[in-house]
Amino acid sequence: MKKSLICVSCPLGCPIEVEIENGEVIAVTGNTCKRGDAYARAEITNPVRSLTTSVKVENGIHPVVPVKSAGPIPKDKMFECMNVINSVTVKAPVKIGDVVIENILGLGVDIVATNCDAGI
């Protein structure tokens, strides 16, 4: 089986072909740098993403504060993470870098504030 990807590891955006057999990557072609090979293998075997969203704020100047994952999250856990994040309300004041959710879903990744809200 072959799968086509566009590499996002560098600005070139190489079109990559990945050959997969029995769930394992056996060949990667089309990449112009070695990062493309690593990206393609990871994307096929364990795709991860950064998560950016917002969390509700109580007594804040704004109704929400932007947050992000402090590290990559498995792609198949994104909706579960969003369910947890959507159930959270933080109290102002919130500072940049504050941990809003520690170790979300036991993945070893924190959700942190990327802006501040001093509150009313």
Side-chain angles (χ1 to χ4, degrees), residues 49-52 67-73 78 109-112:
R49 301 287 185 271
S50 293
L51 177 61
T52 59
V67 296
K68 70 172 184 172
S69 58
I73 292 178
M78 287 294 181
V109 178
D110 295 336
I111 303 299
V112 297

Side-chain angles (χ1 to χ4, degrees), residues 31-112:
N31 53 303
T32 55
C33 69
K34 60 185 173 186
R35 290 187 291 180
D37 183 82
Y39 168 78
R41 290 176 188 278
E43 186 65 15
I44 296 301
T45 59
N46 184 31
V48 294
R49 301 287 185 271
S50 293
L51 177 61
T52 59
T53 186
S54 57
V55 171
K56 293 174 265 185
V57 177
E58 185 178 311
N59 297 325
I61 296 169
H62 305 288
V64 295
V65 65
V67 296
K68 70 172 184 172
S69 58
I73 292 178
K75 187 177 174 184
D76 65 349
K77 297 291 184 185
M78 287 294 181
F79 287 110
E80 288 178 66
C81 287
M82 284 305 303
N83 287 336
V84 172
I85 292 167
N86 289 336
S87 71
V88 170
T89 300
V90 295
K91 292 184 180 182
V94 179
K95 296 185 296 287
I96 294 173
D98 282 356
V99 175
V100 174
I101 302 170
E102 189 174 332
N103 191 20
I104 193 162
L105 297 178
L107 297 172
V109 178
D110 295 336
I111 303 299
V112 297

